[in-house]
Amino acid sequence: RAGLIVSLKDQADAVGEAIVTLERLVLRGQAAPTEESGGVTWHNVPTPSEVPPVQWGIWDGYLIVGVGKGEANAARMRLAGERAALPDWLVKVHDDMTIERRSTVGYLNVAEIVDVAAPLLGDKRDLLTKLGLDNVKSISSASGLDQTACVSRLQINIDGSPQGVFALLPSAPLSQSDLASVPGDALVAVAVRLDIAETLDKVNRLVAKFQPDAREEFEEALWKAETELGIDLRADLLNTLSDVWFAYVPKGDVLTCWLKATAVVKVKDSARLEKTIESLCQRAQMELNRGGRRGGAVIRKQRVAGQTIRFLSVAENEMPFAPAWCLTDDALIVGLMPEAVKAHLQRSAGEGEPTDSLDLDGLLSGPNRPSVVSYVDVQPLFRGLYPLIQIGARVVCGSLQREGFDIDISLLPSCESIAAHLTPAVSTWARTDTGFVSVRRQPLPGGGDLISSGPIAVALLLPAIQSARYAARETVDMNNLKQLGLAFHMYCDTHKRFPANIYSEDGKPLLSWRVHLLPYIEGSDLYKEFHLDEPWDSPHNKQLIPRMPVVMRSPTLPAAPGTTHYVAITGEHTVFPGNKKISFRDVTDGSSKTLLFVRASPTTAFVWSKPEDLKFDPKTPKHGLGGPGTRVLAAFCDGSVQRLGLDMADETFKALVTRDGGENVDRDQIRGRR
């Protein structure tokens, strides 16, 4: 059972008519059966027997779609107030998700899903317990706006303490002092409170629940590593580290400032960690020296602000970085370059340019203090990336212009007109009395309600996916037309004239010109089976209709078996003038400006062997053409295949259809105005 309700307001009638049109297109001209209930005409969408019934209808300005028997009408009753008031979960979401102007709300009843899934798992029921889903009640989310930012919230409600994978999530809160050494002018920063030794043990125990031998294998691997390195990884390394980790990128040129990226972890036992690092450095240096100094590497030292920076210096090898690290009394600092570590030490010692602490608007001092914080100063980031955005937009506009869509790059607003309104984006993750909560505040839309945005994202992506599918199928269409055009030319080379319909001695059309092309599209055997002196629907020839070659079938447009959308435009002055023999010398307008055949509209298809095509009418020259979009595919006498703009002038299209009109047609006219 599922449902979809969309408020259409004054567009309801138009949308309803459009859906009915789509129904008829999909159902090959038939309408879906309907029934009346609750004052609504419900359309019953034909589905396979194993699929639940699907209904849709329009009621009081709403589009209602229901999956499952009676679900659509049940949704109508809720809309009409004929059922109970708001469900408890929705009331709770509204109370908990305090966003000034909510735009989306989502709710996932995890407990109900677990109850439904448990019987399906059978003897693997304990899988849910191992994952920690047994005590997760629900996940709810919401997004919207306040006075200054786009806001989104995600809340995981847990009954009791987190178990399974949820026990791995950070839960201890950060304090303002934990981030005191992060510069206030950071471009990007992230901080997390996580005990790495404790988390590693939790991961090990969780994996052991799924694979009992994994813990023993892990301990064996750990022992081998400790033997090789000569240290106790837990006691000498992991247990010396504190649970506060942060990393940041200082402001600067967007394309190069990441070279100054710095990561910092607080330490509990600096003296023991110093011995461990010294031992590891000595062992690493021994390994590096085995290849000799030339072409090898060396660990160098530098004193800055009373501290020792170590960095890896590689000789002759093309390595763009010099990884550096420094251990102080309370922190281990790591950077891609010595300059990054040096700048951090100088700021901490007060030797560099002073900066304020990171502005987190009191998040680290209020209730539900977060365990994870991420910060992005969007304004300078946008200023640095906007030139690249303009270049990308210009490339896209150029591509669209080649397809006939004239989009002016000058329509893009100036950088400052956008940047002036951009504030930092801040995301947090916190442990609460009832589970976890994540809050994101940012100046530009994005992310949002993770639950309700899922179906919305799918709906938004469907046109893009359908567009990609259509583009791929249209490529096949163009290839089919090219193959037919090539077969046309091969026939001309052999017979010194254009293929035409096959006529009886008394001038009655019997078979289509398409039959003549069979020997040139790997259909010689099929060609030999045709009785060329009988009409297309004779008892014998009629049996050959279902064997239409694949190259004559359009993958883009639906059609009945044995029918094709690849048709000629017939008429006295066209390439197909009826029972009249012509050749390329009769195409005086030029082969590149004269149509050979086209892909007709979705509703225009002919039996492929029947001598029937589009008849050219100067009053309605584009009758029978069209399809998805505003273009039609056409093969020209020179063998090329092009997309024609259906909005081109009628006189221009007439000039393309005729072979000897003497008109002058340029490329822009062929493409159309859009």
Side-chain angles (χ1 to χ4, degrees):
R1 294 169 49 221
L4 171 69
I5 302 172
V6 184
S7 174
L8 304 175
K9 298 184 179 178
D10 57 351
Q11 298 293 317
D13 292 339
V15 172
E17 292 174 3
I19 297 176
V20 170
T21 301
L22 289 174
E23 270 186 358
R24 292 184 179 275
L25 181 61
V26 173
L27 300 177
R28 303 185 185 281
Q30 302 296 317
T34 60
E35 63 179 72
E36 297 289 331
S37 177
V40 181
T41 301
W42 298 108
H43 294 245
N44 297 301
V45 180
T47 58
S49 58
E50 66 272 13
V51 176
V54 178
Q55 285 186 322
W56 73 269
I58 303 290
W59 176 81
D60 196 28
Y62 289 93
L63 167 64
I64 305 174
V65 181
V67 178
K69 187 175 181 180
E71 193 62 30
N73 195 50
R76 182 203 62 79
M77 294 174 68
R78 287 193 294 271
L79 279 174
E82 299 174 24
R83 291 282 180 90
L86 293 177
D88 293 341
W89 68 263
L90 185 56
V91 174
K92 182 171 176 54
V93 168
H94 276 280
D95 291 342
D96 293 344
M97 301 295 182
T98 52
I99 299 176
E100 187 173 337
R101 288 174 286 171
R102 275 187 296 265
S103 61
T104 66
V105 172
Y107 177 80
L108 197 63
N109 191 334
V110 178
E112 183 75 18
I113 294 173
V114 169
D115 288 343
V116 172
L120 302 177
L121 293 174
D123 58 356
K124 295 183 179 180
R125 168 66 177 81
D126 64 336
L127 177 66
L128 300 176
T129 304
K130 293 175 181 177
L131 290 173
L133 292 172
D134 271 359
N135 61 343
V136 178
K137 296 192 295 185
S138 64
I139 301 176
S140 52
S141 61
S143 67
L145 303 170
D146 62 13
Q147 293 298 322
T148 60
C150 302
V151 184
S152 61
R153 295 176 62 94
L154 174 71
Q155 189 163 310
I156 303 175
N157 297 306
I158 298 176
D159 186 9
S161 60
Q163 303 294 325
V165 293
F166 296 95
L168 304 179
L169 300 175
S171 57
L174 290 161
S175 66
Q176 191 69 46
S177 60
D178 293 330
L179 274 70
S181 57
V182 178
D185 63 348
L187 182 67
V188 178
V190 60
V192 58
R193 191 169 209 120
L194 186 70
D195 189 315
I196 189 67
E198 180 183 340
T199 302
L200 186 61
D201 287 338
K202 288 180 180 179
V203 170
N204 196 15
R205 289 195 295 268
L206 180 61
V207 172
K209 290 180 180 180
F210 294 91
Q211 188 176 350
D213 296 338
R215 188 177 186 87
E216 184 177 339
E217 293 173 0
F218 174 77
E219 293 295 340
E220 182 179 354
L222 190 64
W223 175 81
K224 289 181 179 179
E226 291 175 341
T227 302
E228 181 70 23
L229 296 174
I231 62 171
D232 185 330
L233 285 174
R234 279 195 177 91
D236 296 335
L237 183 60
L238 299 182
N239 289 340
T240 64
L241 301 176
S242 182
D243 58 355
V244 177
W245 304 68
F246 62 85
Y248 63 88
V249 177
K251 283 183 183 175
D253 178 74
V254 172
L255 298 180
T256 58
C257 65
W258 58 273
L259 287 170
K260 297 181 180 179
T262 307
V264 181
V265 55
K266 297 296 182 68
V267 299
K268 295 184 289 186
D269 191 340
S270 179
R272 188 164 189 172
L273 183 57
E274 173 66 30
K275 293 179 181 179
T276 302
I277 293 176
E278 188 66 35
S279 175
L280 292 174
C281 286
Q282 291 176 2
R283 186 170 291 272
Q285 190 63 70
M286 290 174 59
E287 293 296 324
L288 293 171
N289 289 339
R290 286 183 179 180
R293 182 66 177 273
R294 284 184 58 82
V298 62
I299 297 176
R300 299 186 182 278
K301 296 181 180 181
Q302 182 183 21
R303 293 287 292 180
V304 174
Q307 304 292 340
T308 300
I309 298 177
R310 293 180 174 89
F311 62 95
L312 182 64
S313 177
V314 180
E316 296 186 2
N317 291 337
E318 296 179 359
M319 181 175 178
F321 313 120
W325 60 95
C326 176
L327 178 63
T328 67
D329 290 341
D330 61 353
L332 174 63
I333 308 151
V334 180
L336 290 176
M337 305 290 282
E339 178 63 27
V341 179
K342 185 189 304 184
H344 182 87
L345 290 173
Q346 289 174 336
R347 278 194 298 269
S348 299
E351 298 177 6
E353 185 176 342
T355 61
D356 297 329
S357 59
L358 204 62
D359 181 16
L360 296 177
D361 198 23
L363 287 174
L364 299 180
S365 57
N368 295 330
R369 288 189 292 133
S371 307
V372 182
V373 174
S374 68
Y375 172 93
V376 179
D377 197 343
V378 180
Q379 190 178 86
L381 187 64
F382 176 80
R383 285 196 174 103
L385 294 178
Y386 196 62
L388 299 179
I389 295 174
Q390 290 177 308
I391 293 172
R394 177 65 195 96
V395 172
V396 172
C397 287
S399 177
L400 291 173
Q401 286 169 353
R402 287 192 294 273
E403 293 297 322
F405 298 92
D406 189 13
I407 299 180
D408 188 355
I409 189 66
S410 67
L411 294 176
L412 283 175
S414 67
C415 177
E416 288 305 314
S417 66
I418 300 176
H421 305 282
L422 300 182
T423 55
V426 179
S427 299
T428 61
W429 172 271
R431 177 80 164 91
T432 67
D433 294 338
T434 58
F436 297 95
V437 62
S438 172
V439 181
R440 177 188 296 175
R441 293 175 52 83
Q442 55 195 33
L444 296 173
D449 179 352
L450 297 181
I451 298 175
S452 60
S453 294
I456 295 172
V458 171
L460 293 175
L461 285 174
L462 280 176
I465 295 172
Q466 187 63 25
S467 177
R469 281 181 171 178
Y470 174 74
R473 291 171 179 170
E474 189 171 80
T475 300
V476 177
D477 264 323
M478 297 181 72
N479 186 58
N480 287 348
L481 288 171
K482 284 181 180 291
Q483 290 189 54
L484 292 175
L486 179 60
F488 185 97
H489 276 257
M490 293 171 68
Y491 179 93
C492 294
D493 290 342
T494 303
H495 299 278
K496 309 305 178 185
R497 62 181 177 83
F498 287 176
N501 291 336
I502 300 172
Y503 290 82
S504 64
E505 292 183 359
D506 58 357
K508 181 181 179 180
L510 301 176
L511 292 163
S512 170
W513 56 270
R514 286 175 283 266
V515 175
H516 273 314
L517 300 187
L518 288 175
Y520 307 97
I521 53 174
E522 300 181 358
S524 296
D525 292 340
L526 179 58
Y527 180 76
K528 293 175 182 177
E529 292 188 45
F530 271 97
H531 291 176
L532 301 182
D533 58 348
E534 297 179 3
W536 66 277
D537 57 351
S538 70
H540 173 78
N541 287 342
K542 195 172 184 179
Q543 298 178 40
L544 305 179
I545 293 175
R547 294 169 60 185
M548 181 181 77
V550 175
V551 73
M552 294 184 185
R553 181 181 299 115
S554 169
T556 307
L557 306 179
T563 62
T564 181
H565 288 93
Y566 303 142
V567 300
I569 300 179
T570 64
E572 177 64 26
H573 295 282
T574 71
V575 175
F576 292 87
N579 193 8
K580 181 179 179 180
K581 297 178 181 180
I582 65 171
S583 64
F584 275 108
R585 65 172 176 268
D586 298 300
V587 184
T588 57
D589 285 349
S591 60
S592 64
K593 298 179 182 178
T594 304
L595 286 179
L596 194 55
F597 28 76
V598 298
R599 186 190 68 182
S601 68
T603 57
T604 306
F606 302 111
V607 175
W608 73 280
S609 58
K610 183 179 180 181
E612 184 179 15
D613 290 277
L614 288 175
K615 293 181 179 179
F616 178 59
D617 183 352
K619 295 180 180 179
T620 55
K622 288 177 278 190
H623 173 71
L625 302 181
T630 59
R631 299 182 178 275
V632 61
L633 298 183
F636 284 74
C637 287
D638 64 349
S640 66
V641 176
Q642 300 182 39
R643 296 180 177 90
L644 303 182
L646 280 177
D647 58 350
M648 73 167 66
D650 285 352
E651 292 302 318
T652 301
F653 190 76
K654 292 178 186 178
L656 296 178
V657 172
T658 58
R659 67 179 190 275
D660 53 4
E663 304 92 348
N664 183 26
V665 181
D666 61 36
R667 190 176 183 84
D668 290 338
Q669 288 176 311
I670 293 176
R671 284 187 176 276
R673 294 185 293 274
R674 283 190 277 171

